[in-house]
Amino acid sequence: MKTIGLIGGLSWESSAEYYRLLNQEFQRRLGGYHSAPLLMYSFNLAEMEPLQRTGQWDKAAARMVKAAQQLEQAGADFLLISSNTMHITAPEVERNVSLPLLHIADATAEAIGKAGLKRVGLLGTAYTMEKDFYKARLTRSNGLSLLVPQKTDREIVHRIIYDELCFGKILQTSKEEYLRVMRDLVRQGAEGIILGCTEISLLIKEGDFDTPLFDTTAIHVSKAVEFALQD
């Protein structure tokens, strides 16, 4: 059984979900008192968010590399970054550690492929919806096409993540805004919706929407547990 190295605190609200889901999935698969063997490095988001907002991705990457190296030295067997946005630093992390990094976009693309879908909508932070680091990874070599909300709706989705979900604020009005944006993506031809921020599943749940949802947090966790249990 492999030890998971989890880079968290991006935000701690979604990291708590990772911790809960990882342990639940280990117990579901193995039974008894089983829980997830893991090590976590938890960032102070107050130090990382300004780097994101001001585009200082090189400084953010340096901090992510340091966290990954500390997890490697502590005995982790592979790495998870518990944030879609911070996978912008994944190439730099991979270059500076010898551990496998399970990329959240790869796991999500695999899940969408298994569902047989080709055109999906993407919700996430503005960085995830607008930059290529995530979208290109999703669409690489699998024929998948992506739709993102219009600019004003991207701003709404981003604001709710940073001003509410990162603080554990779950508001019905914000849920209705998300559902409206999701319906608009479906009208444009989306066959499914990627919940491409690890906080979104705090707000939008299975059963809230008729179109298939791809919860990247749950997908990432499932892939991690599968990898941890491989011989």
Side-chain angles (χ1 to χ4, degrees):
M1 188 182 300
K2 301 181 185 71
T3 298
I4 301 164
L6 181 64
I7 301 177
L10 303 161
S11 67
W12 74 260
E13 290 281 350
S14 62
S15 300
E17 280 296 289
Y18 266 85
Y19 185 79
R20 181 180 66 83
L21 292 171
L22 283 165
N23 282 290
Q24 285 182 342
E25 186 64 8
F26 262 88
Q27 188 173 64
R28 185 187 72 80
R29 295 195 187 203
L30 300 179
Y33 292 109
H34 282 286
S35 58
L38 66 85
L39 300 166
M40 179 187 288
Y41 184 103
S42 187
F43 276 102
N44 178 359
L45 187 58
E47 296 175 356
M48 295 294 279
E49 185 277 333
L51 300 180
Q52 298 173 345
R53 179 165 28 88
T54 57
Q56 297 183 72
W57 297 108
D58 54 343
K59 292 184 178 179
R63 295 189 180 195
M64 292 289 287
V65 166
K66 184 178 179 180
Q69 289 172 338
Q70 289 181 335
L71 289 170
E72 182 174 27
Q73 292 163 8
D77 294 308
F78 67 98
L79 297 173
L80 299 182
I81 298 172
S82 63
S83 161
N84 287 274
T85 294
M86 291 311 296
H87 276 75
I88 196 170
T89 69
E92 192 69 16
V93 170
E94 289 178 307
R95 280 193 292 269
N96 286 278
V97 295
S98 60
L99 302 180
L101 171 67
L102 297 191
H103 200 292
I104 196 167
D106 293 345
T108 301
E110 182 181 336
I112 295 168
K114 287 181 179 178
L117 306 187
K118 290 296 184 181
R119 189 171 174 84
V120 293
L122 172 63
L123 301 183
T125 67
Y127 318 115
T128 300
M129 291 186 289
E130 295 172 3
K131 293 182 179 294
D132 285 337
F133 76 94
Y134 191 84
K135 294 186 291 185
R137 189 96 178 201
L138 278 172
T139 57
R140 184 176 61 191
S141 302
N142 62 9
L144 185 67
S145 64
L146 295 176
L147 294 167
V148 297
Q150 62 174 315
K151 182 174 175 52
T152 54
D153 284 342
R154 292 199 304 270
E155 291 170 351
I156 290 169
V157 170
H158 181 91
R159 178 191 60 77
I160 289 170
I161 291 168
Y162 277 92
D163 292 353
E164 298 173 18
L165 301 183
C166 284
F167 295 96
K169 295 179 182 178
I170 310 301
L171 305 180
Q172 182 61 31
T173 52
S174 295
K175 183 172 188 173
E176 290 168 358
E177 285 278 49
Y178 266 56
L179 293 174
R180 177 189 60 78
V181 172
M182 292 159 66
R183 286 193 293 268
D184 188 55
L185 291 172
V186 170
R187 281 194 291 270
Q188 294 177 52
E191 302 168 302
I193 304 291
I194 300 170
L195 305 183
C197 173
T198 55
E199 283 83 20
I200 294 178
S201 58
L202 301 173
L203 182 68
I204 302 296
K205 307 290 186 183
E206 285 290 340
D208 288 338
F209 204 62
D210 291 337
T211 302
L213 300 179
F214 295 91
D215 174 359
T216 55
T217 303
I219 290 167
H220 206 199
V221 163
S222 179
K223 194 68 177 177
V225 174
E226 178 184 316
F227 189 78
L229 293 177
Q230 288 175 357
D231 293 333

